[in-house]
Amino acid sequence: LKLKKPYLTTAMAYIDSLHLVCADTKAKQNNRKGCDKFIAYFDTVKTQLWATYYRDGFRQVGLVEEQMNAVRSETDSTSIAVSREIIRQNTDSCLDNMSLAIIINPKDSRAFIGIADAYEKQDSLAQSNEWLKKGLDLAVTPEERLPLVQHLAVGNGVGGNYCEAAKYFREWVALT
């Protein structure tokens, strides 16, 4: 999955360029031939790719949670080691899938929340919050900001960072 990042980044730049050229009424008509067809096709591809990477990452968060529950109830050291390796692999894959989804659509907060959830499952509140804040930096509308603010408010509250949580709870109230 890591190897796909540069290719996906380039493909998204080409699609953005297509949108710009097609929207530019000053561009030569020859350069804008078939724009509607190409835009519709590539926007569909983007949507399908985003959904695939997000769905796979979301599924992997669930697998991490299942294995964490297995580790809690397991007594055999070999089984615990195997479960921990499965957790590590699925967390890595989840992070990669969600990162690819972000490359495709950085305005959709769900992939940022997916990465944050993966880190939260690993008891890494700092990294979880870092990703939520990255998403918040890109969010413009209240609809884009709200789910990120909610996660930051609750996560910080559960983590004992009450001053930070209060800041996000205030924004949550202001957004609703």
Short mmCIF file of all heavy atoms in Angstrom, two decimals, residues 83-141:
data_model
loop_
_atom_site.label_atom_id
_atom_site.label_comp_id
_atom_site.label_asym_id
_atom_site.label_seq_id
_atom_site.Cartn_x
_atom_site.Cartn_y
_atom_site.Cartn_z
N SER A 83 -1.37 -12.78 18.34
CA SER A 83 -2.41 -11.74 18.33
C SER A 83 -1.79 -10.35 18.25
O SER A 83 -2.28 -9.48 17.52
CB SER A 83 -3.29 -11.84 19.58
OG SER A 83 -4.11 -12.98 19.50
N ARG A 84 -0.71 -10.13 18.98
CA ARG A 84 -0.06 -8.82 18.94
C ARG A 84 0.52 -8.52 17.55
O ARG A 84 0.49 -7.38 17.10
CB ARG A 84 1.03 -8.74 20.01
CG ARG A 84 0.43 -8.57 21.39
CD ARG A 84 1.46 -8.22 22.42
NE ARG A 84 0.77 -7.96 23.68
CZ ARG A 84 1.22 -8.34 24.85
NH1 ARG A 84 2.37 -8.97 24.96
NH2 ARG A 84 0.53 -8.07 25.94
N GLU A 85 1.02 -9.55 16.88
CA GLU A 85 1.54 -9.36 15.52
C GLU A 85 0.39 -9.04 14.56
O GLU A 85 0.52 -8.18 13.68
CB GLU A 85 2.31 -10.60 15.05
CG GLU A 85 2.89 -10.48 13.66
CD GLU A 85 3.85 -9.32 13.45
OE1 GLU A 85 4.41 -8.79 14.44
OE2 GLU A 85 4.04 -8.93 12.29
N ILE A 86 -0.74 -9.71 14.73
CA ILE A 86 -1.91 -9.43 13.90
C ILE A 86 -2.38 -8.00 14.14
O ILE A 86 -2.74 -7.28 13.20
CB ILE A 86 -3.04 -10.46 14.17
CG1 ILE A 86 -2.61 -11.83 13.66
CG2 ILE A 86 -4.35 -10.02 13.53
CD1 ILE A 86 -3.52 -12.97 14.08
N ILE A 87 -2.36 -7.56 15.39
CA ILE A 87 -2.72 -6.19 15.73
C ILE A 87 -1.79 -5.20 15.01
O ILE A 87 -2.25 -4.24 14.40
CB ILE A 87 -2.69 -5.96 17.26
CG1 ILE A 87 -3.84 -6.70 17.93
CG2 ILE A 87 -2.71 -4.47 17.60
CD1 ILE A 87 -3.74 -6.77 19.45
N ARG A 88 -0.49 -5.46 15.08
CA ARG A 88 0.48 -4.57 14.45
C ARG A 88 0.26 -4.50 12.94
O ARG A 88 0.22 -3.42 12.34
CB ARG A 88 1.91 -5.03 14.74
CG ARG A 88 2.98 -4.05 14.26
CD ARG A 88 4.37 -4.66 14.24
NE ARG A 88 4.50 -5.78 13.32
CZ ARG A 88 4.54 -5.66 11.98
NH1 ARG A 88 4.45 -4.49 11.41
NH2 ARG A 88 4.66 -6.74 11.21
N GLN A 89 0.08 -5.65 12.31
CA GLN A 89 -0.10 -5.70 10.86
C GLN A 89 -1.38 -4.97 10.43
O GLN A 89 -1.38 -4.20 9.46
CB GLN A 89 -0.13 -7.14 10.36
CG GLN A 89 1.19 -7.84 10.44
CD GLN A 89 1.09 -9.32 10.14
OE1 GLN A 89 0.01 -9.87 9.95
NE2 GLN A 89 2.24 -10.00 10.11
N ASN A 90 -2.47 -5.23 11.14
CA ASN A 90 -3.73 -4.58 10.79
C ASN A 90 -3.70 -3.08 11.06
O ASN A 90 -4.29 -2.31 10.31
CB ASN A 90 -4.90 -5.24 11.50
CG ASN A 90 -5.35 -6.49 10.79
OD1 ASN A 90 -5.85 -6.43 9.67
ND2 ASN A 90 -5.15 -7.64 11.40
N THR A 91 -3.00 -2.68 12.11
CA THR A 91 -2.87 -1.25 12.38
C THR A 91 -2.09 -0.58 11.27
O THR A 91 -2.49 0.47 10.75
CB THR A 91 -2.18 -1.00 13.75
OG1 THR A 91 -2.98 -1.59 14.78
CG2 THR A 91 -2.02 0.48 14.02
N ASP A 92 -0.98 -1.18 10.86
CA ASP A 92 -0.19 -0.62 9.75
C ASP A 92 -1.02 -0.53 8.47
O ASP A 92 -0.99 0.49 7.78
CB ASP A 92 1.06 -1.46 9.49
CG ASP A 92 2.13 -1.30 10.56
OD1 ASP A 92 2.00 -0.38 11.40
OD2 ASP A 92 3.08 -2.10 10.56
N SER A 93 -1.74 -1.59 8.16
CA SER A 93 -2.56 -1.58 6.95
C SER A 93 -3.69 -0.55 7.04
O SER A 93 -4.00 0.13 6.06
CB SER A 93 -3.15 -2.97 6.69
OG SER A 93 -2.13 -3.87 6.35
N CYS A 94 -4.28 -0.43 8.21
CA CYS A 94 -5.34 0.56 8.42
C CYS A 94 -4.79 1.97 8.18
O CYS A 94 -5.40 2.77 7.47
CB CYS A 94 -5.89 0.46 9.84
SG CYS A 94 -6.98 1.84 10.27
N LEU A 95 -3.63 2.26 8.76
CA LEU A 95 -3.02 3.58 8.59
C LEU A 95 -2.73 3.85 7.12
O LEU A 95 -2.97 4.96 6.62
CB LEU A 95 -1.75 3.69 9.42
CG LEU A 95 -1.95 3.59 10.94
CD1 LEU A 95 -0.60 3.58 11.65
CD2 LEU A 95 -2.83 4.70 11.47
N ASP A 96 -2.23 2.86 6.41
CA ASP A 96 -1.96 3.02 4.98
C ASP A 96 -3.24 3.26 4.19
O ASP A 96 -3.31 4.15 3.34
CB ASP A 96 -1.23 1.81 4.42
CG ASP A 96 0.21 1.70 4.89
OD1 ASP A 96 0.77 2.73 5.35
OD2 ASP A 96 0.79 0.60 4.81
N ASN A 97 -4.26 2.45 4.44
CA ASN A 97 -5.52 2.60 3.71
C ASN A 97 -6.17 3.96 3.97
O ASN A 97 -6.63 4.62 3.05
CB ASN A 97 -6.50 1.48 4.08
CG ASN A 97 -6.26 0.23 3.27
OD1 ASN A 97 -6.18 0.28 2.05
ND2 ASN A 97 -6.14 -0.90 3.94
N MET A 98 -6.19 4.37 5.22
CA MET A 98 -6.79 5.67 5.56
C MET A 98 -5.97 6.81 4.96
O MET A 98 -6.53 7.81 4.51
CB MET A 98 -6.92 5.83 7.07
CG MET A 98 -7.92 4.88 7.71
SD MET A 98 -9.61 5.15 7.13
CE MET A 98 -10.50 3.99 8.14
N SER A 99 -4.65 6.67 4.93
CA SER A 99 -3.80 7.70 4.31
C SER A 99 -4.09 7.82 2.82
O SER A 99 -4.12 8.94 2.28
CB SER A 99 -2.32 7.37 4.52
OG SER A 99 -1.98 7.45 5.87
N LEU A 100 -4.32 6.71 2.16
CA LEU A 100 -4.68 6.73 0.74
C LEU A 100 -6.04 7.40 0.54
O LEU A 100 -6.23 8.19 -0.39
CB LEU A 100 -4.67 5.33 0.15
CG LEU A 100 -3.29 4.65 0.07
CD1 LEU A 100 -3.43 3.19 -0.35
CD2 LEU A 100 -2.36 5.39 -0.86
N ALA A 101 -6.97 7.13 1.44
CA ALA A 101 -8.28 7.78 1.36
C ALA A 101 -8.14 9.29 1.54
O ALA A 101 -8.82 10.07 0.86
CB ALA A 101 -9.23 7.19 2.42
N ILE A 102 -7.24 9.72 2.41
CA ILE A 102 -7.01 11.15 2.62
C ILE A 102 -6.41 11.79 1.38
O ILE A 102 -6.77 12.92 1.02
CB ILE A 102 -6.13 11.38 3.87
CG1 ILE A 102 -6.93 11.06 5.14
CG2 ILE A 102 -5.58 12.81 3.91
CD1 ILE A 102 -6.10 10.99 6.40
N ILE A 103 -5.52 11.10 0.71
CA ILE A 103 -4.94 11.64 -0.54
C ILE A 103 -6.06 11.88 -1.56
O ILE A 103 -6.06 12.90 -2.25
CB ILE A 103 -3.88 10.68 -1.12
CG1 ILE A 103 -2.63 10.69 -0.22
CG2 ILE A 103 -3.51 11.06 -2.55
CD1 ILE A 103 -1.63 9.60 -0.55
N ILE A 104 -7.01 10.98 -1.61
CA ILE A 104 -8.10 11.10 -2.58
C ILE A 104 -9.07 12.21 -2.20
O ILE A 104 -9.48 13.01 -3.04
CB ILE A 104 -8.85 9.75 -2.72
CG1 ILE A 104 -7.90 8.71 -3.30
CG2 ILE A 104 -10.11 9.91 -3.58
CD1 ILE A 104 -8.41 7.29 -3.21
N ASN A 105 -9.43 12.29 -0.92
CA ASN A 105 -10.38 13.32 -0.47
C ASN A 105 -10.01 13.81 0.92
O ASN A 105 -10.52 13.31 1.92
CB ASN A 105 -11.81 12.78 -0.48
CG ASN A 105 -12.82 13.86 -0.18
OD1 ASN A 105 -12.48 15.02 0.04
ND2 ASN A 105 -14.09 13.49 -0.16
N PRO A 106 -9.13 14.81 0.99
CA PRO A 106 -8.69 15.30 2.29
C PRO A 106 -9.76 16.07 3.06
O PRO A 106 -9.58 16.37 4.23
CB PRO A 106 -7.50 16.21 1.94
CG PRO A 106 -7.66 16.56 0.52
CD PRO A 106 -8.43 15.44 -0.12
N LYS A 107 -10.87 16.37 2.43
CA LYS A 107 -11.94 17.10 3.12
C LYS A 107 -12.89 16.17 3.88
O LYS A 107 -13.70 16.63 4.67
CB LYS A 107 -12.73 17.94 2.13
CG LYS A 107 -11.91 19.05 1.55
CD LYS A 107 -12.66 20.33 1.63
CE LYS A 107 -11.79 21.45 1.14
NZ LYS A 107 -11.82 22.56 2.02
N ASP A 108 -12.79 14.87 3.64
CA ASP A 108 -13.68 13.93 4.32
C ASP A 108 -13.03 13.51 5.64
O ASP A 108 -11.99 12.86 5.66
CB ASP A 108 -13.94 12.70 3.44
CG ASP A 108 -15.10 11.87 3.94
OD1 ASP A 108 -15.14 11.59 5.16
OD2 ASP A 108 -15.95 11.50 3.13
N SER A 109 -13.65 13.90 6.72
CA SER A 109 -13.06 13.69 8.05
C SER A 109 -13.01 12.22 8.47
O SER A 109 -12.24 11.86 9.35
CB SER A 109 -13.85 14.48 9.09
OG SER A 109 -15.19 14.02 9.16
N ARG A 110 -13.79 11.37 7.84
CA ARG A 110 -13.87 9.98 8.29
C ARG A 110 -12.53 9.26 8.24
O ARG A 110 -12.23 8.45 9.13
CB ARG A 110 -14.92 9.22 7.48
CG ARG A 110 -16.34 9.68 7.78
CD ARG A 110 -17.35 9.01 6.91
NE ARG A 110 -17.22 9.52 5.53
CZ ARG A 110 -17.99 9.11 4.53
NH1 ARG A 110 -18.92 8.21 4.73
NH2 ARG A 110 -17.82 9.63 3.32
N ALA A 111 -11.70 9.53 7.25
CA ALA A 111 -10.40 8.85 7.17
C ALA A 111 -9.47 9.35 8.29
O ALA A 111 -8.72 8.57 8.86
CB ALA A 111 -9.77 9.06 5.81
N PHE A 112 -9.53 10.63 8.61
CA PHE A 112 -8.73 11.16 9.73
C PHE A 112 -9.18 10.51 11.04
O PHE A 112 -8.36 10.14 11.88
CB PHE A 112 -8.87 12.68 9.83
CG PHE A 112 -8.16 13.42 8.74
CD1 PHE A 112 -8.84 13.87 7.62
CD2 PHE A 112 -6.80 13.67 8.82
CE1 PHE A 112 -8.20 14.55 6.61
CE2 PHE A 112 -6.13 14.36 7.82
CZ PHE A 112 -6.83 14.79 6.70
N ILE A 113 -10.49 10.36 11.19
CA ILE A 113 -11.03 9.71 12.39
C ILE A 113 -10.61 8.25 12.42
O ILE A 113 -10.29 7.71 13.49
CB ILE A 113 -12.57 9.88 12.45
CG1 ILE A 113 -12.91 11.36 12.69
CG2 ILE A 113 -13.18 8.99 13.53
CD1 ILE A 113 -14.37 11.71 12.48
N GLY A 114 -10.56 7.59 11.27
CA GLY A 114 -10.12 6.20 11.20
C GLY A 114 -8.68 6.04 11.67
O GLY A 114 -8.35 5.12 12.43
N ILE A 115 -7.80 6.93 11.22
CA ILE A 115 -6.41 6.89 11.67
C ILE A 115 -6.34 7.15 13.17
O ILE A 115 -5.63 6.47 13.91
CB ILE A 115 -5.55 7.90 10.89
CG1 ILE A 115 -5.36 7.42 9.45
CG2 ILE A 115 -4.19 8.10 11.56
CD1 ILE A 115 -4.60 8.39 8.55
N ALA A 116 -7.10 8.15 13.62
CA ALA A 116 -7.12 8.46 15.06
C ALA A 116 -7.60 7.26 15.88
O ALA A 116 -7.03 6.96 16.93
CB ALA A 116 -8.01 9.67 15.31
N ASP A 117 -8.62 6.57 15.39
CA ASP A 117 -9.13 5.38 16.10
C ASP A 117 -8.07 4.29 16.18
O ASP A 117 -7.93 3.63 17.20
CB ASP A 117 -10.38 4.84 15.42
CG ASP A 117 -11.62 5.67 15.69
OD1 ASP A 117 -11.57 6.56 16.56
OD2 ASP A 117 -12.64 5.44 15.01
N ALA A 118 -7.32 4.11 15.10
CA ALA A 118 -6.26 3.09 15.10
C ALA A 118 -5.21 3.42 16.16
O ALA A 118 -4.77 2.54 16.90
CB ALA A 118 -5.63 2.98 13.72
N TYR A 119 -4.81 4.68 16.23
CA TYR A 119 -3.82 5.07 17.24
C TYR A 119 -4.40 4.99 18.65
O TYR A 119 -3.71 4.61 19.60
CB TYR A 119 -3.29 6.48 16.97
CG TYR A 119 -2.22 6.51 15.90
CD1 TYR A 119 -2.38 7.27 14.76
CD2 TYR A 119 -1.05 5.76 16.03
CE1 TYR A 119 -1.40 7.29 13.78
CE2 TYR A 119 -0.08 5.78 15.05
CZ TYR A 119 -0.25 6.55 13.93
OH TYR A 119 0.71 6.57 12.96
N GLU A 120 -5.68 5.34 18.78
CA GLU A 120 -6.33 5.27 20.08
C GLU A 120 -6.35 3.82 20.60
O GLU A 120 -6.14 3.58 21.78
CB GLU A 120 -7.75 5.82 19.96
CG GLU A 120 -8.47 5.95 21.28
CD GLU A 120 -9.87 6.49 21.07
OE1 GLU A 120 -10.00 7.56 20.45
OE2 GLU A 120 -10.82 5.82 21.52
N LYS A 121 -6.60 2.88 19.70
CA LYS A 121 -6.60 1.47 20.09
C LYS A 121 -5.23 1.03 20.59
O LYS A 121 -5.11 0.08 21.34
CB LYS A 121 -7.03 0.59 18.92
CG LYS A 121 -8.39 0.90 18.37
CD LYS A 121 -9.42 -0.04 18.87
CE LYS A 121 -10.77 0.19 18.26
NZ LYS A 121 -11.53 1.27 18.85
N GLN A 122 -4.19 1.72 20.13
CA GLN A 122 -2.83 1.42 20.56
C GLN A 122 -2.44 2.25 21.79
O GLN A 122 -1.26 2.31 22.14
CB GLN A 122 -1.85 1.73 19.42
CG GLN A 122 -2.08 0.91 18.18
CD GLN A 122 -1.71 -0.54 18.38
OE1 GLN A 122 -0.66 -0.84 18.92
NE2 GLN A 122 -2.58 -1.43 17.96
N ASP A 123 -3.41 2.92 22.39
CA ASP A 123 -3.18 3.78 23.56
C ASP A 123 -2.23 4.92 23.26
O ASP A 123 -1.43 5.33 24.10
CB ASP A 123 -2.68 2.98 24.77
CG ASP A 123 -3.75 2.05 25.31
OD1 ASP A 123 -4.93 2.43 25.27
OD2 ASP A 123 -3.40 0.94 25.76
N SER A 124 -2.31 5.44 22.05
CA SER A 124 -1.48 6.57 21.66
C SER A 124 -2.37 7.79 21.42
O SER A 124 -2.65 8.17 20.27
CB SER A 124 -0.67 6.24 20.41
OG SER A 124 0.15 7.33 20.07
N LEU A 125 -2.82 8.40 22.51
CA LEU A 125 -3.73 9.54 22.43
C LEU A 125 -3.06 10.72 21.72
O LEU A 125 -3.72 11.43 20.96
CB LEU A 125 -4.19 9.96 23.83
CG LEU A 125 -5.20 11.09 23.90
CD1 LEU A 125 -6.49 10.71 23.19
CD2 LEU A 125 -5.48 11.49 25.34
N ALA A 126 -1.77 10.91 21.93
CA ALA A 126 -1.08 12.03 21.29
C ALA A 126 -1.13 11.92 19.76
O ALA A 126 -1.45 12.89 19.07
CB ALA A 126 0.37 12.11 21.77
N GLN A 127 -0.83 10.73 19.24
CA GLN A 127 -0.88 10.55 17.78
C GLN A 127 -2.32 10.61 17.26
O GLN A 127 -2.57 11.12 16.18
CB GLN A 127 -0.22 9.24 17.39
CG GLN A 127 1.30 9.32 17.45
CD GLN A 127 1.94 8.03 16.95
OE1 GLN A 127 1.81 7.00 17.58
NE2 GLN A 127 2.62 8.13 15.82
N SER A 128 -3.24 10.09 18.05
CA SER A 128 -4.65 10.14 17.68
C SER A 128 -5.08 11.61 17.54
O SER A 128 -5.67 12.00 16.51
CB SER A 128 -5.50 9.43 18.74
OG SER A 128 -6.87 9.56 18.46
N ASN A 129 -4.76 12.41 18.53
CA ASN A 129 -5.13 13.83 18.49
C ASN A 129 -4.43 14.57 17.36
O ASN A 129 -5.00 15.46 16.74
CB ASN A 129 -4.81 14.50 19.82
CG ASN A 129 -5.81 14.15 20.89
OD1 ASN A 129 -6.89 13.64 20.62
ND2 ASN A 129 -5.46 14.42 22.13
N GLU A 130 -3.19 14.19 17.09
CA GLU A 130 -2.44 14.81 16.00
C GLU A 130 -3.17 14.66 14.67
O GLU A 130 -3.31 15.61 13.90
CB GLU A 130 -1.05 14.17 15.92
CG GLU A 130 -0.15 14.76 14.87
CD GLU A 130 1.20 14.05 14.84
OE1 GLU A 130 1.75 13.73 15.91
OE2 GLU A 130 1.69 13.80 13.72
N TRP A 131 -3.69 13.45 14.41
CA TRP A 131 -4.40 13.21 13.15
C TRP A 131 -5.76 13.92 13.13
O TRP A 131 -6.18 14.42 12.09
CB TRP A 131 -4.54 11.72 12.88
CG TRP A 131 -3.30 11.21 12.25
CD1 TRP A 131 -2.23 10.63 12.87
CD2 TRP A 131 -2.95 11.31 10.87
NE1 TRP A 131 -1.25 10.36 11.95
CE2 TRP A 131 -1.66 10.76 10.71
CE3 TRP A 131 -3.61 11.80 9.75
CZ2 TRP A 131 -1.03 10.70 9.48
CZ3 TRP A 131 -2.97 11.73 8.51
CH2 TRP A 131 -1.69 11.18 8.39
N LEU A 132 -6.43 13.96 14.26
CA LEU A 132 -7.70 14.68 14.31
C LEU A 132 -7.47 16.17 14.05
O LEU A 132 -8.24 16.81 13.33
CB LEU A 132 -8.38 14.47 15.66
CG LEU A 132 -8.89 13.05 15.92
CD1 LEU A 132 -9.29 12.88 17.37
CD2 LEU A 132 -10.04 12.70 14.99
N LYS A 133 -6.39 16.71 14.58
CA LYS A 133 -6.08 18.13 14.37
C LYS A 133 -5.67 18.39 12.92
O LYS A 133 -5.98 19.45 12.37
CB LYS A 133 -4.98 18.58 15.33
CG LYS A 133 -5.48 18.69 16.77
CD LYS A 133 -4.35 19.04 17.73
CE LYS A 133 -4.85 19.05 19.16
NZ LYS A 133 -3.76 19.31 20.11
N LYS A 134 -4.98 17.44 12.28
CA LYS A 134 -4.66 17.59 10.85
C LYS A 134 -5.95 17.68 10.04
O LYS A 134 -6.06 18.49 9.12
CB LYS A 134 -3.83 16.40 10.35
CG LYS A 134 -2.38 16.44 10.76
CD LYS A 134 -1.65 15.23 10.21
CE LYS A 134 -0.22 15.18 10.70
NZ LYS A 134 0.53 14.05 10.14
N GLY A 135 -6.90 16.84 10.37
CA GLY A 135 -8.19 16.89 9.69
C GLY A 135 -8.91 18.20 9.96
O GLY A 135 -9.51 18.80 9.06
N LEU A 136 -8.81 18.68 11.18
CA LEU A 136 -9.44 19.93 11.57
C LEU A 136 -8.83 21.10 10.81
O LEU A 136 -9.54 22.04 10.42
CB LEU A 136 -9.28 20.13 13.08
CG LEU A 136 -10.29 20.99 13.81
CD1 LEU A 136 -11.71 20.56 13.53
CD2 LEU A 136 -10.02 20.96 15.30
N ASP A 137 -7.54 21.05 10.56
CA ASP A 137 -6.86 22.11 9.79
C ASP A 137 -7.41 22.20 8.37
O ASP A 137 -7.41 23.28 7.77
CB ASP A 137 -5.35 21.86 9.73
CG ASP A 137 -4.65 22.12 11.05
OD1 ASP A 137 -5.25 22.78 11.93
OD2 ASP A 137 -3.52 21.65 11.21
N LEU A 138 -7.87 21.08 7.81
CA LEU A 138 -8.39 21.05 6.45
C LEU A 138 -9.89 21.29 6.38
O LEU A 138 -10.43 21.59 5.32
CB LEU A 138 -8.05 19.72 5.78
CG LEU A 138 -6.57 19.43 5.59
CD1 LEU A 138 -6.36 18.00 5.10
CD2 LEU A 138 -5.95 20.42 4.61
N ALA A 139 -10.56 21.14 7.51
CA ALA A 139 -12.02 21.28 7.55
C ALA A 139 -12.39 22.77 7.52
O ALA A 139 -11.82 23.56 8.27
CB ALA A 139 -12.58 20.62 8.80
N VAL A 140 -13.33 23.09 6.68
CA VAL A 140 -13.74 24.49 6.54
C VAL A 140 -15.15 24.70 7.07
O VAL A 140 -15.37 25.59 7.88
CB VAL A 140 -13.66 24.93 5.05
CG1 VAL A 140 -14.11 26.35 4.87
CG2 VAL A 140 -12.25 24.74 4.52
N THR A 141 -16.08 23.89 6.64
CA THR A 141 -17.48 24.07 7.02
C THR A 141 -17.76 23.45 8.38
O THR A 141 -17.03 22.56 8.84
CB THR A 141 -18.41 23.42 5.97
OG1 THR A 141 -18.24 22.00 6.03
CG2 THR A 141 -18.13 23.94 4.58
#
